[in-house]
Amino acid sequence: MSGPQGHGVSVRIGHCGKTFADGTHALEPASLDIARGETLVLLGPSGCGKTTMLRIIAGLEEPDEGGKVLFDGKDVTAIPIERRNVGMVFQSYALFPNMSVAENIGYGLRIRGIPATERAKRVAELVALTNITGLEHRRIDQLSGGQRQRVALARAVAIRPGILLLDEPLTALDAALRYRLRGELNRLLRALGITAIYVTHDQSEAMELGDRIVVMRKGAIAQIGSPREIYFEPKDRFVAEFIGAANIVEASLDDGHLILPGGRQAIAGGTSQPAVVAMIRPESIGIVDVEAAPLRGQVESVSFVGDRQRVVVVGASPKPLTVDAPNTIQVDAGDRVGLSIASKAVRLLPPEA
Amino acid sequence: MRDRLIFTGQFLFTLLVAAFLVVPTALSITAGVTTNYFRGIQSGLTLQWVAQVWDLYADTIGLSFLIAFATLAVTLLAGVPAAYALHVRGGQLSRLVEEIITLPIAIPGLALALALLLTYGGFGAFRRSWLFILAGHVVFTMPFMVRSVMAIFASVDIKTLDEGAASLGASPWRRFRDVIVPNAVPGILAGSLMVVTLSLGEFNLTWMLHTPLTKTLPIGLADSYASMRLEVASAYTLIFFIMIIPLLVAMQMFAERELTR
Ligand SMILES: Nc1ncnc2c1ncn2[C@@H]1O[C@H](COP(=O)(O)OP(=O)(O)O)[C@@H](O)[C@H]1O
Ligand SMILES: [Mg+2]
């Protein structure tokens, strides 16, 4: 099933909504296309419907009337999960406690009637691929969280699925391990080149892993785009604030300039409007000499975080501005500073609905 | 000093309570092997009463075991899949079904028996066979099996394991065989012991449902108390103890092992 653009199936989700039996509207009808070999990340705060969407694609949940799921153009809506050939990594891993690590990894192959010798070969391959050599005969309760995560991944990949579905696979792990495994997972997904859908509430995970990111909010899709698009061109305030740090500035616009308490700030493509909402990323604000700057403020606080320092400036904008400054410049609380912001770095957001 | 006093007091009290329960049991058992109960133990020890019970009531013992294991078979075959379905489906309907299955625990055995008689009393052959008692025992013990299996399902999150196996391509039957049952073994064992013990000792229901040709052990016991020498009835009790105590001990050991896990 491999093609020039990668492995696995392409997925089309058409008007898939979900209302649970208890009346919970978990998902507004949504449509989505996922290309073969693409890694798509579903990103959003807890309870926004990410898992529900994933389970609909997996076949664990039926979409509401009218919803359709297509794999390679074929309607699979009525096909149960066991015949969809999907690899799934559950948030809780769902490893079988009654089987060893190797038996867990080989279970899908056993179901497919693959002979024992061939199965053992494939299991050994996956054990090597996921760095769990030596654990093959362990029981599941003798594994650490990170090891369980790897076994779950190996088990899901073993069956050569058409699509790999991962539901917050790193959430249960501590921060350092999460960071390391994220890198490993990224390399593995690239190496396999398989279609994958990855659910997370962690925006930095989403950025690193996703070819495209679907930002979700309250059961609806807020924005779909590449990590860069999502970061630099958020469609609305929710996306802007959810992805990374963002300064939200409410001001009036006069001939292409934001009129602010601390001065005027040029924006790209200027017009005049009585009230606009703009977003400025902290790292796109430079701290400059106060005399020449068109925008000025006073430093409220400075926190040194190693690779940079986070400076909060008041008086420039209606609300305090957060600035990510290089760790080499010297500023202190109380200093008057000038701010330099490229006009392209200011992004107008649609007014709040 | 004060602690010692309290401890001694508690210890004595415990002994007293234990004695209150154990002494009648011990008396009853010794009565079963005493030549003449009214003359006491000096009349000599004998196994003649035990032998007599065996002669008179061996078939009730056989029938009790037949019914107990048939009950076990039915509760296993119907109860484990039912627990699986109820757990995996969830929702209102499942809770309702669970309540209905549990109802027989709350209803007096006599009322249950009456209902069975009213409904199936007309089916002569069924009414006269041991299968009628079996039906009663199944109704009565099913909740214990279903409940203990469902408890283990909840504790190992069987629904997610089931979905995991499904994602790997396993059909419902393969999932049930490879994943569900093996991970529910402790609950199934606990439920089984409970079902067998309850069935062996069941009196209320059975008393209403039995015929002269379908007497179980507890019915025979009541019968012997009513119509035989006290020594015979006591010997009968002894036999009952010998059968049921290993089951109770197994159950206890099992519960402890579960707790220490
Ligand atoms: N089986 C269910 N029955 C009823 N409501 C559910 C069920 N599963 C999820 N929900 C609800 O649907 C919403 C979305 O849940 P979910 O998709 O799990 O969110 P996420 O994975 O983004 O945290 C939540 O409000 C959740 O409480
Ligand atoms: Mg979730």
Side-chain angles (χ1 to χ4, degrees), chain A residues 51 91 167-168:
Chain A
T51 298
Q91 195 165 0
D167 192 356
E168 312 218 12

mmCIF file with all atom_site columns, all heavy atoms in Angstrom, chain A residues 51 91 167-168, ligand 2:
data_model
loop_
_atom_site.group_PDB
_atom_site.id
_atom_site.type_symbol
_atom_site.label_atom_id
_atom_site.label_alt_id
_atom_site.label_comp_id
_atom_site.label_asym_id
_atom_site.label_entity_id
_atom_site.label_seq_id
_atom_site.pdbx_PDB_ins_code
_atom_site.Cartn_x
_atom_site.Cartn_y
_atom_site.Cartn_z
_atom_site.occupancy
_atom_site.B_iso_or_equiv
_atom_site.pdbx_formal_charge
_atom_site.auth_seq_id
_atom_site.auth_comp_id
_atom_site.auth_asym_id
_atom_site.auth_atom_id
_atom_site.pdbx_PDB_model_num
ATOM   1  N  N   . THR A 1 51  ? -10.183 13.237 21.363 1.00 0.00 ? 51  THR A N   1
ATOM   2  C  CA  . THR A 1 51  ? -10.277 11.781 21.465 1.00 0.00 ? 51  THR A CA  1
ATOM   3  C  C   . THR A 1 51  ? -11.495 11.272 20.697 1.00 0.00 ? 51  THR A C   1
ATOM   4  O  O   . THR A 1 51  ? -11.428 10.250 20.019 1.00 0.00 ? 51  THR A O   1
ATOM   5  C  CB  . THR A 1 51  ? -10.346 11.357 22.941 1.00 0.00 ? 51  THR A CB  1
ATOM   6  O  OG1 . THR A 1 51  ? -9.141  11.756 23.583 1.00 0.00 ? 51  THR A OG1 1
ATOM   7  C  CG2 . THR A 1 51  ? -10.514 9.860  23.080 1.00 0.00 ? 51  THR A CG2 1
ATOM   8  N  N   . GLN A 1 91  ? -4.134  6.288  25.284 1.00 0.00 ? 91  GLN A N   1
ATOM   9  C  CA  . GLN A 1 91  ? -3.577  7.150  26.318 1.00 0.00 ? 91  GLN A CA  1
ATOM   10 C  C   . GLN A 1 91  ? -3.080  6.318  27.509 1.00 0.00 ? 91  GLN A C   1
ATOM   11 O  O   . GLN A 1 91  ? -2.067  6.600  28.092 1.00 0.00 ? 91  GLN A O   1
ATOM   12 C  CB  . GLN A 1 91  ? -4.641  8.150  26.765 1.00 0.00 ? 91  GLN A CB  1
ATOM   13 C  CG  . GLN A 1 91  ? -4.081  9.298  27.551 1.00 0.00 ? 91  GLN A CG  1
ATOM   14 C  CD  . GLN A 1 91  ? -5.066  10.444 27.675 1.00 0.00 ? 91  GLN A CD  1
ATOM   15 O  OE1 . GLN A 1 91  ? -6.174  10.398 27.175 1.00 0.00 ? 91  GLN A OE1 1
ATOM   16 N  NE2 . GLN A 1 91  ? -4.653  11.490 28.341 1.00 0.00 ? 91  GLN A NE2 1
ATOM   17 N  N   . ASP A 1 167 ? -3.239  8.649  20.824 1.00 0.00 ? 167 ASP A N   1
ATOM   18 C  CA  . ASP A 1 167 ? -4.004  9.516  21.723 1.00 0.00 ? 167 ASP A CA  1
ATOM   19 C  C   . ASP A 1 167 ? -3.141  9.929  22.913 1.00 0.00 ? 167 ASP A C   1
ATOM   20 O  O   . ASP A 1 167 ? -2.963  9.154  23.845 1.00 0.00 ? 167 ASP A O   1
ATOM   21 C  CB  . ASP A 1 167 ? -5.263  8.792  22.209 1.00 0.00 ? 167 ASP A CB  1
ATOM   22 C  CG  . ASP A 1 167 ? -6.232  9.757  22.894 1.00 0.00 ? 167 ASP A CG  1
ATOM   23 O  OD1 . ASP A 1 167 ? -5.889  10.943 23.061 1.00 0.00 ? 167 ASP A OD1 1
ATOM   24 O  OD2 . ASP A 1 167 ? -7.336  9.311  23.255 1.00 0.00 ? 167 ASP A OD2 1
ATOM   25 N  N   . GLU A 1 168 ? -2.618  11.123 22.873 1.00 0.00 ? 168 GLU A N   1
ATOM   26 C  CA  . GLU A 1 168 ? -1.776  11.662 23.943 1.00 0.00 ? 168 GLU A CA  1
ATOM   27 C  C   . GLU A 1 168 ? -0.794  10.618 24.472 1.00 0.00 ? 168 GLU A C   1
ATOM   28 O  O   . GLU A 1 168 ? -0.763  10.342 25.671 1.00 0.00 ? 168 GLU A O   1
ATOM   29 C  CB  . GLU A 1 168 ? -2.645  12.194 25.092 1.00 0.00 ? 168 GLU A CB  1
ATOM   30 C  CG  . GLU A 1 168 ? -3.762  13.087 24.598 1.00 0.00 ? 168 GLU A CG  1
ATOM   31 C  CD  . GLU A 1 168 ? -4.039  14.281 25.495 1.00 0.00 ? 168 GLU A CD  1
ATOM   32 O  OE1 . GLU A 1 168 ? -3.228  14.549 26.393 1.00 0.00 ? 168 GLU A OE1 1
ATOM   33 O  OE2 . GLU A 1 168 ? -5.048  14.968 25.252 1.00 0.00 ? 168 GLU A OE2 1
HETATM 34 MG MG  . MG  C 2 .   ? -8.645  12.842 25.203 1.00 0.00 ? 2   MG  C MG  1
#
